[in-house]
Every structure is written in structure tokens, then in C-alpha cells.
Amino acid sequence: MAKTKLTEKAIEALSYEEASAELESIVGALEEGQNTLEDALKLFERGQALAAHCGALLESAQLKVQKLSGESLIPFEADVE
Amino acid sequence: MQPNLFAPAYLTVSQLTFHIRKRLEDDPTLRDVWVEGEISNLAKPNSGHIYFTLKDKNAALRCVIWKTDASRLRVNLQDGLAVEAHGKIAVYEPQGQYQLVVNLLQPKGEGALYQEFLRLKAALEAEGLFDPERKRPIPELPKIIGIVTSQTGAALRDMLNTLRRRLPLVKALLAPAPVQGVEAPPALVEALHKLNQQNPDVILLARGGGSIEDLWAFNDERVVRAVAASNAPIISGVGHETDFTLCDFAADLRAPTPTAAAELATQTTLDDLQAQMTYFTARLNARTLDLLAEQKAWLAALAARLKYSSPERRIQTENQNLDGLSRRAFSALRHRIQLHSANVDGISKRLQALNPASVLARGYAIITSLENGQVISKVAQAKGALKARVSDGEFEIQSKA
């Protein structure tokens, strides 16, 4: 497992970008096939969890709009059509 | 010039009018002329041609716009509107009238604005502000999209709806600014500056459609320079498809409308991401199944090799050897036993022969002393009561010696 280290970071805490990037590298590492079976299964499990997390994020994505007000950011309620 | 009294050459009205027409229409100045004035007597008959009179304090000029040019007109004509008109002088012979045939018409002052536009464009271009090498790529999957536009305009609503539809994963940061009027340019510059401090991945600079004056803030040198100086790449979406502003030239990407700007900022959509995720999951599953299958096959091959080289074969061989040995041992033993048993028979026969009983059968008797059981083999021993043993029993006898 030279290339892909399991970050062991809680998956729920990952942003979509982090999770999908890790998933991509896991798939890459598995396809390179340099892992022991035990490592490969661990990668697979984490990959599945990452994919589920990403899917959930995509499903529930809501555009967040903020407005610059002076030096601070405040929520901006945009009218939805 | 003296009139010729003897042979006066009368021209017909048509001939004279034709002559005048030729003189006017051949004049290079009158064939390509800009004139400014105020519209009056505007008439738009069903033919599609437009008729009006251009006036100033001291003179009037009849004008016509033929149907084909009228349909291209971007100005909403009305009486009293000050305009700049371009065209050629023509003569309408049936009424002996000359008129300006207009092919271009714009509100008064637009020409000057356009001249200023061209001058500034050339200057900034010479400075390299619009160079293609300066254009930065638009990120394919932005996290934060900055928006500089009017907080109340339809452009903002269009852009937010587009972002929501295509990539609701992004965060939109709005830096509101008025987009027309004298306060617009410094406000736009300030909004771009403040938004850049939030490090957005891309900025949308947008405004809905309007007249060229309405869009003029986006030709302001300060705004154009702020666009060129932005850290984040900028997509401009000002006005409509046909409107070009200097901000469009300075921006990293020009979109024809605000909605198109929001689309260009979201090249990867939610659908794309979902498809990508499906693809990743499929690869993950396929690869893991392959891996397991490979491992199984490898194990099976290993097990076969193990079986081939296992001690089982040797054990079988040894077992056979052992069987052979044991058979040999058994038969050797049996042979010995037979030998021994033959021997025992011989000895037994010999023993039989030595059995005193068989001697007795031949008529001999064994005499023993009744007193002490001693065998009497000499006369001297024969005293008193004796016991005689014969083949079928014993009896007492008395010695007379």
C-alpha cells in the first residue's frame, strides 16, 4: 500500500471533493493490484462507504447562497422560481 | 449665361427633376452622410416603411427608412427623440421632394460613446489587457462561485436558478453592486475586489439586457482594469448575445447572457457527478470481484501443487512396503512354527518311547519301597513291604529275601 493510505478520517466529515478524490485513488490503487487481499478488502469497504457518502451528498445538495455585507458574509434568501 | 432667344430648349418637368436627382445623388457627400436632429411627424404605415421629419431650430429634412432597414432598428422611435441618422439623399420625383434615405439610426450621443468605446478598446488592447495569453482556464468543478451583479435584477435570479439546476453542490457568494449609473463603476470595482478576498474559484460578472447607455458601466476603464486584475477567473455575461462590452474582452470567458455565464461556470453538472459516482462504484465492485476470483484461482492452484507434493504418496508407498514386510514376516513365522511343531512331535514320540508306562505294558514292573517310596533296583534294597506298579495299577508285595 505504497500509494493509498487509508486516511481513517470519519467519512461523514468529508466534503464531496475529498470523498470523491479518495474514492478515485482507492479505485486506482485496487486496479494497480499491489495490495494484499486484506488491504484490498479494507479498501473496498471504505470505497463503498465513500461512494455512498458521495451519493448522499449529491442527492441532498442544496445551493447555498451568501451575500457579502461589509466585511462579513450573511445568508442570502434568493427567490426560487 | 444668356438664354437662346431663337431656339429656346424647353425641358420637361421630368427632365429637370431627373437632372436635379442626378446632381444630388451623384454628390459624394450626399451619398454618405450623418445628420443629427429631432424626430417629428413620425409615421409607420402598414407597408413597413417608416417616414418622419428631422428638424432643428431652422430647418427640416424629410426622411424615410425602408422596410428592410426598419426591421433591424434597435431604437424605439418617437416624436421628439434626438437621433443621429446615416444615409443618402434621394429625390422623390412624383412630388419633387428630396429626402434622406436612412439606413442607420441611433440615439443622439451614441456615436460619441461608440467613438470613446473604440478609443478605449484600442488603448487597452495595445496595453495587452485583452491578450489571449492572459485568459485563465475556468475550473471544471468549482466549489465557490462569486457573483457580481445587481441584487434585485432578473440576471441574479436567472444565474441562481441555473446554478441550482446544474450544480447545487456549489456555494454562491454574491457581491451586490448597482450595474448602471455613475455610482456603478466604482461599486463594481469594489465588489470585485471584496469578492476576490473570499478566494472564489470563478466570478460571474453579469447584467441583464438594456440600452447601450445602460450597459456603459461595463465599458468603464476602471471596471475593465478590475476585471483584468482579478485573482479569480471571470466569466462576463452582460446584456444580450449581440452586446459586446470591454469587460467581455478583459474577462477570461465571455458569455452571451447571465444564464449562459452560470452554465459556463458549471461545466460539470450534478448529473455528470452522479454518472461518475456510478462509474467509480462499478469499477470498485468489478475490481474487488476480480481480485477475489484471482485469489481463489491462485489458492486452487496452490492447493493442487500442495496435494501433488504431499507426504500422502509416500505414506501409501510406505504402507505397501510395510504390507510386504509383514506378509514376509508372517510366512517366516509360520514356517518356523511348522518346524517347531514337527520337532515337538518327534520329541513327543521319543518321550513316549521313554515313558516307563510303555515299558510296564511290555510286562515290566516298578518296585518301590512302601516305606520310603525308593525304587528298588538292587536285591539288597528289597526288604519288607514293597509296592509293585504295573501297566494298569499298583499292588503291595512282601519281600521274602
Side-chain angles (χ1 to χ4, degrees), chain B residues 74-322:
Chain B
R74 295 195 301 120
V75 189
N76 187 21
L77 297 183
Q78 45 195 325
D79 281 332
L81 184 71
V83 296
E84 299 160 346
H86 176 268
K88 61 180 182 187
I89 294 295
V91 172
Y92 183 54
E93 293 169 71
Q95 292 188 6
Q97 285 177 345
Y98 71 92
Q99 58 187 1
L100 181 70
V101 178
V102 177
N103 61 358
L104 289 174
L105 190 139
Q106 60 198 26
K108 182 168 184 261
E110 192 165 293
L113 276 180
Y114 187 62
Q115 289 305 314
E116 170 60 13
F117 174 88
L118 289 181
R119 186 199 63 76
L120 190 56
K121 178 169 181 273
L124 296 176
E125 200 160 29
E127 228 180 275
L129 242 58
F130 306 153
D131 285 356
E133 306 85 71
R134 286 183 55 98
K135 310 290 183 202
R136 288 157 298 183
I138 307 301
E140 277 183 27
L141 184 59
K143 294 191 204 76
I144 301 176
I145 296 183
I147 299 178
V148 175
T149 192
S150 161
Q151 187 171 325
T152 53
L156 176 61
R157 197 190 58 221
D158 291 348
M159 287 189 285
L160 290 180
N161 282 337
T162 304
L163 295 183
R164 194 171 286 123
R165 172 169 54 84
R166 287 173 61 90
L167 191 62
L169 217 56
V170 297
K171 188 162 111 182
L173 275 189
L174 170 67
V179 289
Q180 68 187 69
V182 282
E183 73 275 25
L188 288 169
V189 171
E190 172 77 1
L192 284 172
H193 177 66
K194 276 193 168 172
L195 199 49
N196 262 301
Q197 290 172 344
Q198 301 292 327
N199 293 317
D201 299 297
V202 62
I203 292 176
L204 308 180
L205 175 64
R207 188 208 188 287
S211 71
I212 190 160
E213 287 93 346
D214 289 343
L215 305 184
W216 206 253
F218 295 88
N219 288 321
D220 188 284
E221 184 173 349
R222 291 165 288 177
V223 181
V224 180
R225 288 193 184 280
V227 168
S230 171
N231 286 327
I234 289 188
I235 304 176
S236 68
V238 178
H240 295 302
E241 176 86 53
T242 49
D243 298 318
F244 273 87
T245 68
L246 293 183
C247 280
D248 288 328
F249 293 107
D252 297 278
L253 187 62
R254 185 239 174 200
T257 62
T259 299
E263 283 170 354
L264 289 172
T266 49
Q267 293 164 58
T268 306
T269 66
L270 192 67
D271 287 349
D272 295 334
L273 292 179
Q274 268 160 348
Q276 186 191 46
M277 206 40 65
T278 306
Y279 174 62
F280 276 162
T281 312
R283 272 168 69 194
L284 185 71
N285 290 341
R287 182 57 205 148
T288 306
L289 287 177
D290 282 358
L291 194 71
L292 287 176
E294 275 168 27
Q295 288 289 329
K296 266 189 190 167
W298 182 73
L299 261 183
L302 214 56
R305 282 170 58 199
L306 187 65
K307 199 171 173 192
Y308 186 75
S309 56
S310 79
E312 198 179 322
R313 284 173 143 244
R314 272 187 64 191
I315 289 172
Q316 280 175 354
T317 314
E318 293 298 327
N319 264 338
Q320 279 179 355
N321 289 348
L322 202 57

